Amino acid sequence: QDTKIGFIVKQPEEPWFQDEWKFADQAAKEKGFTLVKIGAEDGEKLMSAIDNLGAQGAQGFVVCTPDVKLGPGIVAKAAANNLKLMTVDDRLVGADGKPLEDVPHMGISATKIGEAVGQAIVDEMKARGWKMDEVGAIRVSYDQLPTAVDRVEGAISVLKAAGFKTQNIFDAPQAKTDTEAALNAATVVLNAHADIKKWIAFGLNDEAVLGAVRASESVGIPADGMIGVGIGGAESAINEFKKPAATGFVGTVIISPKRHGYETALNMYDWIANNKEPAKLTLTAGALAKRDDYQKVRKDLGIE
Amino acid sequence: MSFLEFSNVTKTYPGVRALSDVSFGVEKGAVHGLMGENGAGKSTLIKILSGDQHADTGEITIDGKVQAYTSTRDAFDNGVIVIHQELQLVPELTVAENLSLGRFPASAGVIARGRMLEDVGAKLKSAGIDIDMRRKVKTLSIGERQMVEIAKAIMLDARVIALDEPTSSLSSRESEILFALIDRLRGEGKVIIYVSHRLDEVFRLCDSLTVLRDGKLAAHHQSLKDVTRDQIVAEMVGREISDIWGFRPRKAREARLKVDNLSGARLRTPASFEARAGEIVGFFGLIGAGRSELMRLVFGADPRSGGTITVDGKTIAAASPHDAIRAGIVLCSEDRKHDGIIQGRSIEENINISSRRHHTRFGVLNRASEIATAETFIKKLKVRTPSRKQDIVNLSGGNQQKVILGRWLSEQDIRVLIVDEPTRGIDIGAKSEIYELLYQLAEEGMAIVVVSSELPEVMGICDRILVMCGGRISAELARDQFAEKAILAAALPDKKTPDAIAS
Amino acid sequence: MTGQLKKIVLGEQGLVVIFIVAFALVSLLVPNFLTDRNMLGLLQSVVTVGIVACTMMFCLAARDFDLSVGSIVAFAGMVAVMASNASGSILLGLLAAIACGTFVGFINGVVIAKFRINALITTLATMQIVRGLALISSDGRAVGINSPDFYQLALSKLLGIPTPIWVLAILFGIFGFVLNRTVFGKNTLAIGGNPEASRLAGVNVDRTRIWIFALQGFVCGIAGILLASRITSGQPNAAVGLELSVISACVLGGVSLAGGRAAMSGVIVGVLIMGIAENVMNLLNIAAFYQYIVRGVILLLAVLLDNLRSSAFGRR
Amino acid sequence: MTGQLKKIVLGEQGLVVIFIVAFALVSLLVPNFLTDRNMLGLLQSVVTVGIVACTMMFCLAARDFDLSVGSIVAFAGMVAVMASNASGSILLGLLAAIACGTFVGFINGVVIAKFRINALITTLATMQIVRGLALISSDGRAVGINSPDFYQLALSKLLGIPTPIWVLAILFGIFGFVLNRTVFGKNTLAIGGNPEASRLAGVNVDRTRIWIFALQGFVCGIAGILLASRITSGQPNAAVGLELSVISACVLGGVSLAGGRAAMSGVIVGVLIMGIAENVMNLLNIAAFYQYIVRGVILLLAVLLDNLRSSAFGRR
Ligand SMILES: Nc1ncnc2c1ncn2[C@@H]1O[C@H](COP(=O)(O)OP(=O)(O)OP(=O)(O)O)[C@@H](O)[C@H]1O
Ligand SMILES: Nc1ncnc2c1ncn2[C@@H]1O[C@H](COP(=O)(O)OP(=O)(O)OP(=O)(O)O)[C@@H](O)[C@H]1O
Ligand SMILES: [Mg+2]
Ligand SMILES: [Mg+2]
């Protein structure tokens, strides 16, 4: 019987997941199994997707869940459909909020990524010789998404540890997770504190930080008065680095979709075909990419 | 060959043959009457003439040229204007805009407002229609709207003008304006097709006449000189009706409905009146006299600001139609399109909507009784329809009116029946049957209030007439005091000589 | 023969016939489609949409709109979980969820009927308010279920068929009956046909509308509970965009947005068409971006067919 | 005095008056609100919604709906960027974007007017199809702009005011004029007010509707270009949910969903109210979850006020 593996992601439109799928496909081609890609934006779609995989005769699946609290449900559903289960990016938790250790997982913790962002910003501020007191921070937030909260809180914890004042951190809540919403929210913050001339920005992803950078440009803050560090390293961030002149978008913490996509699919295949159970927990690292070294960083991570 | 010629026009709707093989011609400078029972196919013929509907077979020729319209626009461009039976106005636009719709004077798409107002103003003035053309149509009463609708006929230089029951919501004063207008148009050599259920109007206006029956041509009169009313009625209905009122004296009993100092937003002067069991009370007045407003207040359709309503000695809240119906008051409203028919639902449902509560248990319908009720009233009121399941919008105007009447007549324990223009758009045969029904109900002890703009009607069937003028009751006459002049005098706001408008 | 065929396809039950033909085709052509497991999975996937469509049908038939359903479903799910967790009694949790759903629906109804505020706007507002409440009550995070019995709601089976599917079937039955055979149903249709005429015919329009929205909330409460049980947690972000799926399903099923026209059989078919489309796309492994296009095209085709059918019969 | 006051507040321009009062209050109470920079930021943030609202007003006035605007805006933005990059000419890119937008709108119009498919369903379908196209054309990724001149569209200023705001103001002016003073505008209102009467009066209803949707697409094209320039890239996920914001703004501005009633001044006020609400909430640093609730309540209050106003004048 042919091996069939599902790969379910929470936001199929997002470049990140597109990349994961692309690399998983690569693994499928190499090993000759069928990969079924399904997008499941919420818990209900996810449950249907698992049923659907079961009906198709798949033997296992990799999932990035729309919500980690779905854990027990996913485990039960997978068992009901007799499917092997691995998670990627987001680790499942039980009702008590503790991770489900039994489910093999590959990922990087949201807090860790946030901390990397914070560290990059602190380093850049030091390099530019900024005094913490005269800098304002835009926290582009999308608190509806727990991951987003963890990421920005991670960044803030590093900033605070480096001596950044809490009262200089301003919240710019996005109504949606696109650049325009971040741009509008950040503009308000910048205009409300016109006296602050130096700004830093961080958020859920590259798009959010880009919004803040665009906002700084539109209110006339020069590129050297802005430090934005994004997360993801997808096209929109790379575009910034390709621009002829440097912008306030200083860097992005690239997390590699290659490992996440390729390796999880491969592990799942090994598990099904060769009964080789994957490691319970694999943590990948993010890497900071800046204007001058992004090509190298991407190559190191196995992207192009 | 005549100037306007219908030849072998046939039209079938699902389950209904509306017109079969109708042929006749009309000459220039003539007003041609078109009569027939409800559902005989008059409106259908007019709709085909206007390009709104297409005949299955047969054709229309004007001035020797076969007309092949694909839309109403083509009909305009060929000089055909039609005033439809149902009002076709846009409430949010002004009178002037409504009259210019479809042909605004404009340069490069920008409306020449000045020119528009000038044109419309001139046309309205020449026709003797006195309506502020800057008002939005939604602020006009039905009668005023009808006048606006009629004004469309003169807005364009038409060769053929068809009017489908234009006087059904006009009182005699407005009707006169219309008749003068028609006379003028005749003088200008237009062809005019005039649909009406009112025989006196037809005799007053028409040069020739066609009678339709069941979609077929029943009679065609080149001239009305030697034709009698009874003959036309017989051609339409298939039997003789000698006295359409058929008034029967009754005895009024105890007072059932007592209205005391009732007032509301649109009826500033408080009104008081009463109606007794077994009595038919008529309300007459000119357009805008406030009769409909008063009845709506009694029925709780509009919020009242003061006054009391008593039925059989019991004061009732009547804060809504729902309450009023349960207190035994029902109102059959004048605006059937807006307030009467429930579009998209069957005849059966339209009839049962209110009275079904007598047959339900725990809110569950009693199908058998619903079907029986529907069938009963379809038969009793002679509604022309292929089945009780027919969507009410597919019925002819008069048949819709009958269904709405059926809705109210199927109610039980009515104490007070208010009918506002009950015979609007209803053919002569059905009219006399409806009067007969009203008499029966009165004899059974109901108090009946009839609001009508047809003076002969109120004089013909009522025991007592209340006249309204300018929002208040201006006169009350018992049957032995009925006199046209006196009634009209009371109805006229400006105390002009009533002879000028008496028909 | 062709005349006969035309009559069947274009007749009153035409949509059902078209659906059956389409279903047969899909069964033949798509591997793994017509298996027990896939059928059950398919049905389970339409439970939320199907349940909410029952009352949305009434809403649309009365010429109203309800955009708040997605939020209410999410909120009710949260309440069910949190109340169960807090009180330790699942029953209490369920009651609380249904009460909350009904209450929100009731408020919708009162605002719309009594203050005469446009239903679209009112429910757009409550959609946001209720979503906000759901997020606030849980600080934006999903809430796990303490008692495993709660999952059983969705996992338990009767005659081999999961409970949620039974609930759906029962609600289909009840609301089909209510629409056609009760005063409430007929009044709803009448209000949609002509609200003013219905009022003058003694229908208590305001009360009927309030009832419709309250029922809608009630049903959303049930849907929320089943959803929470299925996904084993209360999620404040659940069921985003549900309103559009539900309205599409209803319109696909021949419910007129201009009011006055609705049939339960149509809505069931509409719900199933939407579910099958999703299911088949996943079975055929159609790429995510193309799914958008396929979904749009199916929607268009389905209404187009229905339209041809209606216009062949001269009704609009 | 109170009579006078009542007359002003509840009169034709009542919404405008209420708005001015609210604006004054906010200016006084919210620090940093009434500054040049904040005002410009506020205006820039409503450019997309405002531009699209211009034609949505026509759409609603004609008793139609357009849910596809968000997708068209995103798609047009993508096209602008990709065509500019491919051809090396920004002008060509802009033309391509506007042509694409107009084309989608035109298709919407043709399907709705000629095949008589419900506008809600049609545009729900095109909304998905066009979003799918936007995602497919770029493989779901943002596309960067090669030529920095493209950014200048959004960054350039005239008399100290950024170009997008000028564009918005000009479109407000044009469409206000079109609505009230042209045959097209009056026909639109007539179609919404009474479609049957308009048809019988010889208005080419189908053509007018097609024009409305084509214009809507055209305007979405412009909005898409400005948005792409503003965020310096074409993003396939941009403007999700735009349709609801735009429709809310229009309804807030007194456009009747039952058709036939619309005014540009109202729509402008509606757009500004929505923008100010967002702006003030951010200025006051209201937590994200509470923003949902505040947004909903403001929406309700605004229509409630407008309703009181209308009913005080006896119109429905
Ligand atoms: N759209 C339609 N669908 C089905 N039947 C229709 C439709 N329109 C009209 N009819 C039927 O065609 C017949 C003729 O209707 P028409 O409106 O021409 O009558 P009419 O002579 O104008 O009657 P009235 O005096 O009541 O206005 C009626 O039996 C009516 O029910
Ligand atoms: N919707 C409305 N808005 C504002 N004014 C109205 C409205 N409807 C009617 N009116 C006004 O109320 C007054 C009385 O109305 P109406 O003409 O209906 O009275 P009526 O005596 O029943 O006459 P008829 O029924 O013969 O038309 C008129 O002056 C009319 O202009
Ligand atoms: Mg007729
Ligand atoms: Mg009247």
Side-chain angles (χ1 to χ4, degrees), chain B residues 135 137-145 169-171 174 266-267 284-294 296 334 420-421 424 451-453 468 471, chain D residues 313-315:
Chain B
R135 268 172 80 184
V137 162
K138 67 176 177 186
T139 64
L140 303 181
S141 72
I142 294 222
E144 289 169 316
R145 290 181 201 201
S169 39
L170 297 187
S171 65
E174 284 86 4
R266 288 216 242 107
L267 192 79
F284 180 76
L286 301 180
I287 286 188
R291 295 159 298 166
S292 303
E293 275 62 39
L294 177 57
R296 284 176 63 89
E334 65 176 334
D420 196 350
E421 313 282 2
R424 166 170 296 170
V451 176
S452 173
S453 304
M468 285 191 76
Chain D
F313 270 65
R315 61 173 154 102

Short mmCIF file of all heavy atoms in Angstrom, two decimals, chain B residues 135 137-145 169-171 174 266-267 284-294 296 334 420-421 424 451-453 468 471, chain D residues 313-315, ligand 2:
data_model
loop_
_atom_site.label_atom_id
_atom_site.label_comp_id
_atom_site.label_asym_id
_atom_site.label_seq_id
_atom_site.Cartn_x
_atom_site.Cartn_y
_atom_site.Cartn_z
N ARG B 135 -41.81 68.25 -4.14
CA ARG B 135 -42.03 67.30 -3.03
C ARG B 135 -41.60 65.90 -3.42
O ARG B 135 -41.73 65.48 -4.57
CB ARG B 135 -43.52 67.27 -2.68
CG ARG B 135 -43.88 68.26 -1.59
CD ARG B 135 -45.36 68.34 -1.41
NE ARG B 135 -45.90 67.22 -0.61
CZ ARG B 135 -47.20 67.05 -0.41
NH1 ARG B 135 -48.07 67.88 -0.94
NH2 ARG B 135 -47.63 66.06 0.33
N VAL B 137 -42.13 62.05 -3.65
CA VAL B 137 -43.36 61.30 -3.86
C VAL B 137 -43.80 60.58 -2.59
O VAL B 137 -44.98 60.42 -2.34
CB VAL B 137 -43.18 60.31 -5.03
CG1 VAL B 137 -44.23 59.24 -5.01
CG2 VAL B 137 -43.24 61.08 -6.34
N LYS B 138 -42.85 60.20 -1.75
CA LYS B 138 -43.25 59.46 -0.55
C LYS B 138 -44.10 60.30 0.39
O LYS B 138 -44.75 59.75 1.26
CB LYS B 138 -42.01 58.94 0.18
CG LYS B 138 -41.16 60.01 0.78
CD LYS B 138 -40.01 59.42 1.56
CE LYS B 138 -39.13 60.55 2.10
NZ LYS B 138 -37.93 60.08 2.73
N THR B 139 -44.11 61.60 0.22
CA THR B 139 -44.94 62.43 1.11
C THR B 139 -46.33 62.64 0.53
O THR B 139 -47.15 63.32 1.14
CB THR B 139 -44.31 63.80 1.35
OG1 THR B 139 -44.26 64.50 0.11
CG2 THR B 139 -42.90 63.68 1.91
N LEU B 140 -46.61 62.10 -0.64
CA LEU B 140 -47.92 62.32 -1.25
C LEU B 140 -48.90 61.23 -0.82
O LEU B 140 -48.51 60.11 -0.52
CB LEU B 140 -47.80 62.29 -2.78
CG LEU B 140 -46.83 63.27 -3.43
CD1 LEU B 140 -46.88 63.10 -4.93
CD2 LEU B 140 -47.14 64.68 -3.04
N SER B 141 -50.18 61.58 -0.83
CA SER B 141 -51.18 60.55 -0.56
C SER B 141 -51.41 59.76 -1.84
O SER B 141 -50.96 60.14 -2.92
CB SER B 141 -52.48 61.20 -0.12
OG SER B 141 -53.08 61.83 -1.23
N ILE B 142 -52.12 58.65 -1.68
CA ILE B 142 -52.34 57.79 -2.84
C ILE B 142 -52.96 58.56 -4.00
O ILE B 142 -52.55 58.43 -5.15
CB ILE B 142 -53.29 56.65 -2.48
CG1 ILE B 142 -52.64 55.74 -1.48
CG2 ILE B 142 -53.68 55.90 -3.73
CD1 ILE B 142 -52.89 54.31 -1.78
N GLY B 143 -53.94 59.36 -3.68
CA GLY B 143 -54.63 60.10 -4.73
C GLY B 143 -53.68 61.02 -5.45
O GLY B 143 -53.67 61.10 -6.69
N GLU B 144 -52.88 61.71 -4.66
CA GLU B 144 -51.90 62.63 -5.27
C GLU B 144 -50.92 61.85 -6.14
O GLU B 144 -50.54 62.29 -7.22
CB GLU B 144 -51.16 63.41 -4.19
CG GLU B 144 -52.04 64.44 -3.51
CD GLU B 144 -51.40 65.04 -2.26
OE1 GLU B 144 -50.83 64.28 -1.46
OE2 GLU B 144 -51.48 66.26 -2.11
N ARG B 145 -50.54 60.68 -5.64
CA ARG B 145 -49.62 59.87 -6.43
C ARG B 145 -50.26 59.48 -7.76
O ARG B 145 -49.63 59.47 -8.80
CB ARG B 145 -49.25 58.60 -5.66
CG ARG B 145 -48.37 58.93 -4.48
CD ARG B 145 -47.98 57.67 -3.74
NE ARG B 145 -47.60 58.06 -2.39
CZ ARG B 145 -46.83 57.33 -1.59
NH1 ARG B 145 -46.39 56.16 -2.01
NH2 ARG B 145 -46.50 57.76 -0.40
N SER B 169 -58.33 55.51 -7.57
CA SER B 169 -58.14 56.15 -6.27
C SER B 169 -58.32 57.66 -6.34
O SER B 169 -57.73 58.40 -5.56
CB SER B 169 -56.77 55.77 -5.69
OG SER B 169 -55.82 55.74 -6.69
N LEU B 170 -59.09 58.12 -7.28
CA LEU B 170 -59.36 59.56 -7.37
C LEU B 170 -60.77 59.86 -6.88
O LEU B 170 -61.67 59.05 -7.04
CB LEU B 170 -59.22 60.02 -8.82
CG LEU B 170 -57.85 59.89 -9.46
CD1 LEU B 170 -57.85 60.54 -10.81
CD2 LEU B 170 -56.78 60.51 -8.57
N SER B 171 -60.91 61.05 -6.32
CA SER B 171 -62.27 61.46 -6.02
C SER B 171 -62.78 62.29 -7.20
O SER B 171 -62.03 62.58 -8.12
CB SER B 171 -62.30 62.26 -4.73
OG SER B 171 -61.60 63.46 -4.93
N GLU B 174 -60.65 65.29 -8.68
CA GLU B 174 -59.48 64.93 -9.48
C GLU B 174 -59.90 64.24 -10.77
O GLU B 174 -59.28 64.43 -11.81
CB GLU B 174 -58.53 64.02 -8.70
CG GLU B 174 -57.70 64.73 -7.66
CD GLU B 174 -58.44 64.84 -6.35
OE1 GLU B 174 -59.56 64.30 -6.26
OE2 GLU B 174 -57.92 65.48 -5.42
N ARG B 266 -51.13 62.38 12.15
CA ARG B 266 -51.58 62.93 10.87
C ARG B 266 -53.04 63.37 10.90
O ARG B 266 -53.58 63.77 9.88
CB ARG B 266 -51.34 61.91 9.76
CG ARG B 266 -49.87 61.80 9.46
CD ARG B 266 -49.56 61.57 8.02
NE ARG B 266 -48.90 60.29 7.87
CZ ARG B 266 -49.47 59.23 7.36
NH1 ARG B 266 -50.69 59.29 6.90
NH2 ARG B 266 -48.82 58.11 7.28
N LEU B 267 -53.66 63.25 12.06
CA LEU B 267 -55.04 63.69 12.18
C LEU B 267 -55.09 64.63 13.38
O LEU B 267 -55.32 64.22 14.50
CB LEU B 267 -55.95 62.48 12.43
CG LEU B 267 -57.44 62.74 12.30
CD1 LEU B 267 -57.83 62.75 10.83
CD2 LEU B 267 -58.24 61.68 13.03
N PHE B 284 -67.31 59.70 3.51
CA PHE B 284 -66.99 60.29 2.22
C PHE B 284 -66.09 61.51 2.44
O PHE B 284 -66.11 62.15 3.48
CB PHE B 284 -68.28 60.70 1.49
CG PHE B 284 -68.01 61.32 0.16
CD1 PHE B 284 -67.65 60.53 -0.92
CD2 PHE B 284 -68.09 62.69 -0.02
CE1 PHE B 284 -67.37 61.10 -2.15
CE2 PHE B 284 -67.80 63.28 -1.24
CZ PHE B 284 -67.44 62.48 -2.32
N GLY B 285 -65.32 61.81 1.41
CA GLY B 285 -64.47 63.00 1.48
C GLY B 285 -63.61 63.05 0.25
O GLY B 285 -63.57 62.09 -0.54
N LEU B 286 -62.94 64.16 0.09
CA LEU B 286 -62.03 64.26 -1.04
C LEU B 286 -60.69 63.66 -0.64
O LEU B 286 -60.46 63.36 0.53
CB LEU B 286 -61.85 65.72 -1.45
CG LEU B 286 -63.15 66.41 -1.85
CD1 LEU B 286 -62.86 67.85 -2.25
CD2 LEU B 286 -63.82 65.67 -3.00
N ILE B 287 -59.83 63.57 -1.62
CA ILE B 287 -58.50 63.04 -1.31
C ILE B 287 -57.83 63.88 -0.24
O ILE B 287 -57.90 65.11 -0.28
CB ILE B 287 -57.64 63.04 -2.56
CG1 ILE B 287 -58.11 61.92 -3.47
CG2 ILE B 287 -56.17 62.86 -2.22
CD1 ILE B 287 -57.23 61.71 -4.64
N GLY B 288 -57.23 63.25 0.71
CA GLY B 288 -56.53 63.99 1.75
C GLY B 288 -57.44 64.47 2.85
O GLY B 288 -57.04 65.22 3.73
N ALA B 289 -58.68 64.03 2.82
CA ALA B 289 -59.60 64.47 3.86
C ALA B 289 -59.27 63.85 5.21
O ALA B 289 -59.70 64.32 6.24
CB ALA B 289 -61.03 64.12 3.46
N GLY B 290 -58.53 62.76 5.17
CA GLY B 290 -58.09 62.15 6.42
C GLY B 290 -58.91 60.96 6.84
O GLY B 290 -58.79 60.47 7.96
N ARG B 291 -59.73 60.44 5.92
CA ARG B 291 -60.55 59.27 6.29
C ARG B 291 -59.67 58.05 6.59
O ARG B 291 -59.86 57.38 7.60
CB ARG B 291 -61.50 58.94 5.13
CG ARG B 291 -62.51 60.01 4.85
CD ARG B 291 -63.04 59.86 3.45
NE ARG B 291 -61.94 60.01 2.49
CZ ARG B 291 -62.01 59.69 1.22
NH1 ARG B 291 -63.12 59.18 0.75
NH2 ARG B 291 -60.99 59.87 0.42
N SER B 292 -58.73 57.82 5.68
CA SER B 292 -57.89 56.64 5.89
C SER B 292 -57.10 56.77 7.17
O SER B 292 -56.91 55.81 7.90
CB SER B 292 -56.93 56.48 4.71
OG SER B 292 -57.66 56.39 3.53
N GLU B 293 -56.65 57.98 7.46
CA GLU B 293 -55.88 58.21 8.69
C GLU B 293 -56.72 57.87 9.91
O GLU B 293 -56.26 57.21 10.83
CB GLU B 293 -55.43 59.67 8.77
CG GLU B 293 -54.15 59.97 8.05
CD GLU B 293 -54.23 59.71 6.56
OE1 GLU B 293 -55.29 60.01 5.98
OE2 GLU B 293 -53.27 59.20 5.99
N LEU B 294 -57.97 58.33 9.88
CA LEU B 294 -58.86 58.08 11.01
C LEU B 294 -59.05 56.57 11.21
O LEU B 294 -58.96 56.05 12.33
CB LEU B 294 -60.20 58.77 10.76
CG LEU B 294 -61.29 58.55 11.81
CD1 LEU B 294 -60.81 58.99 13.18
CD2 LEU B 294 -62.56 59.30 11.44
N ARG B 296 -57.14 54.15 10.23
CA ARG B 296 -55.90 53.51 10.68
C ARG B 296 -55.71 53.71 12.19
O ARG B 296 -55.20 52.83 12.88
CB ARG B 296 -54.70 54.06 9.91
CG ARG B 296 -54.61 53.50 8.49
CD ARG B 296 -53.47 54.14 7.71
NE ARG B 296 -52.17 53.87 8.32
CZ ARG B 296 -51.43 52.81 8.01
NH1 ARG B 296 -51.86 51.94 7.12
NH2 ARG B 296 -50.26 52.63 8.59
N GLU B 334 -56.79 50.59 2.13
CA GLU B 334 -57.03 51.08 0.76
C GLU B 334 -55.86 50.78 -0.17
O GLU B 334 -56.03 50.66 -1.37
CB GLU B 334 -57.28 52.59 0.79
CG GLU B 334 -56.06 53.38 1.24
CD GLU B 334 -56.26 54.89 1.18
OE1 GLU B 334 -57.08 55.36 0.38
OE2 GLU B 334 -55.59 55.60 1.94
N ASP B 420 -61.84 50.17 3.59
CA ASP B 420 -61.40 51.43 2.99
C ASP B 420 -61.33 51.21 1.49
O ASP B 420 -60.51 50.43 1.01
CB ASP B 420 -60.01 51.78 3.56
CG ASP B 420 -59.65 53.24 3.31
OD1 ASP B 420 -60.38 53.90 2.55
OD2 ASP B 420 -58.64 53.69 3.88
N GLU B 421 -62.17 51.86 0.77
CA GLU B 421 -62.27 51.69 -0.69
C GLU B 421 -62.37 50.21 -1.04
O GLU B 421 -61.53 49.68 -1.75
CB GLU B 421 -61.04 52.31 -1.39
CG GLU B 421 -60.66 53.70 -0.93
CD GLU B 421 -61.55 54.78 -1.51
OE1 GLU B 421 -62.48 54.43 -2.26
OE2 GLU B 421 -61.34 55.96 -1.21
N ARG B 424 -62.49 49.22 -4.87
CA ARG B 424 -61.52 49.80 -5.79
C ARG B 424 -61.03 48.74 -6.76
O ARG B 424 -60.50 47.71 -6.35
CB ARG B 424 -60.35 50.36 -4.99
CG ARG B 424 -59.14 50.68 -5.83
CD ARG B 424 -58.12 51.44 -5.04
NE ARG B 424 -58.68 52.74 -4.65
CZ ARG B 424 -58.08 53.54 -3.79
NH1 ARG B 424 -56.96 53.19 -3.21
NH2 ARG B 424 -58.63 54.70 -3.50
N VAL B 451 -65.39 53.30 3.79
CA VAL B 451 -64.76 54.53 3.33
C VAL B 451 -64.73 54.47 1.82
O VAL B 451 -64.28 53.47 1.25
CB VAL B 451 -63.33 54.65 3.88
CG1 VAL B 451 -62.65 55.88 3.31
CG2 VAL B 451 -63.34 54.66 5.37
N SER B 452 -65.22 55.49 1.18
CA SER B 452 -65.23 55.44 -0.27
C SER B 452 -65.15 56.84 -0.85
O SER B 452 -65.61 57.80 -0.25
CB SER B 452 -66.49 54.74 -0.75
OG SER B 452 -66.56 54.83 -2.15
N SER B 453 -64.52 56.93 -2.00
CA SER B 453 -64.47 58.21 -2.69
C SER B 453 -65.51 58.26 -3.79
O SER B 453 -65.59 59.22 -4.52
CB SER B 453 -63.09 58.42 -3.31
OG SER B 453 -62.10 58.32 -2.32
N MET B 468 -65.96 63.93 5.64
CA MET B 468 -64.74 64.49 6.23
C MET B 468 -64.15 65.52 5.30
O MET B 468 -64.26 65.43 4.08
CB MET B 468 -63.71 63.40 6.50
CG MET B 468 -64.06 62.56 7.71
SD MET B 468 -62.70 61.50 8.19
CE MET B 468 -61.60 62.66 8.99
N GLY B 471 -59.33 66.85 7.53
CA GLY B 471 -58.93 66.18 8.75
C GLY B 471 -59.96 66.21 9.85
O GLY B 471 -59.68 65.84 10.98
N PHE D 313 -39.00 62.58 12.19
CA PHE D 313 -39.56 63.27 11.05
C PHE D 313 -40.54 62.41 10.27
O PHE D 313 -40.88 62.68 9.14
CB PHE D 313 -38.44 63.76 10.13
CG PHE D 313 -38.02 65.13 10.53
CD1 PHE D 313 -37.42 65.36 11.75
CD2 PHE D 313 -38.29 66.20 9.70
CE1 PHE D 313 -37.07 66.61 12.14
CE2 PHE D 313 -37.94 67.47 10.09
CZ PHE D 313 -37.32 67.68 11.32
N GLY D 314 -40.94 61.32 10.94
CA GLY D 314 -42.03 60.55 10.38
C GLY D 314 -41.68 59.75 9.15
O GLY D 314 -42.53 59.15 8.53
N ARG D 315 -40.42 59.75 8.76
CA ARG D 315 -40.13 58.88 7.62
C ARG D 315 -39.49 57.59 8.10
O ARG D 315 -38.96 57.52 9.20
CB ARG D 315 -39.24 59.60 6.60
CG ARG D 315 -37.90 60.03 7.14
CD ARG D 315 -37.06 60.57 5.97
NE ARG D 315 -36.07 61.51 6.42
CZ ARG D 315 -34.79 61.21 6.57
NH1 ARG D 315 -34.36 60.01 6.34
NH2 ARG D 315 -33.94 62.13 6.96
N1 LIG E 2 -46.74 58.87 4.03
C1 LIG E 2 -47.18 60.13 4.23
N2 LIG E 2 -46.31 61.07 4.68
C2 LIG E 2 -46.74 62.34 4.88
N3 LIG E 2 -48.00 62.75 4.67
C3 LIG E 2 -48.91 61.85 4.23
C4 LIG E 2 -48.53 60.51 3.99
N4 LIG E 2 -49.64 59.85 3.56
C5 LIG E 2 -50.61 60.75 3.54
N5 LIG E 2 -50.22 61.96 3.94
C6 LIG E 2 -51.02 63.15 4.05
O1 LIG E 2 -52.09 62.93 4.94
C7 LIG E 2 -53.26 63.56 4.47
C8 LIG E 2 -54.46 62.64 4.41
O2 LIG E 2 -54.15 61.41 3.66
P1 LIG E 2 -55.15 60.63 2.64
O3 LIG E 2 -55.10 61.35 1.35
O4 LIG E 2 -54.74 59.22 2.62
O5 LIG E 2 -56.60 60.80 3.25
P2 LIG E 2 -57.96 60.16 2.75
O6 LIG E 2 -59.06 60.98 3.23
O7 LIG E 2 -58.01 58.75 3.14
O8 LIG E 2 -57.93 60.29 1.20
P3 LIG E 2 -57.84 59.13 0.14
O9 LIG E 2 -57.88 57.83 0.83
O10 LIG E 2 -58.97 59.39 -0.73
O11 LIG E 2 -56.54 59.34 -0.55
C9 LIG E 2 -52.91 64.13 3.10
O12 LIG E 2 -52.76 65.52 3.20
C10 LIG E 2 -51.62 63.48 2.72
O13 LIG E 2 -50.80 64.36 1.98
#
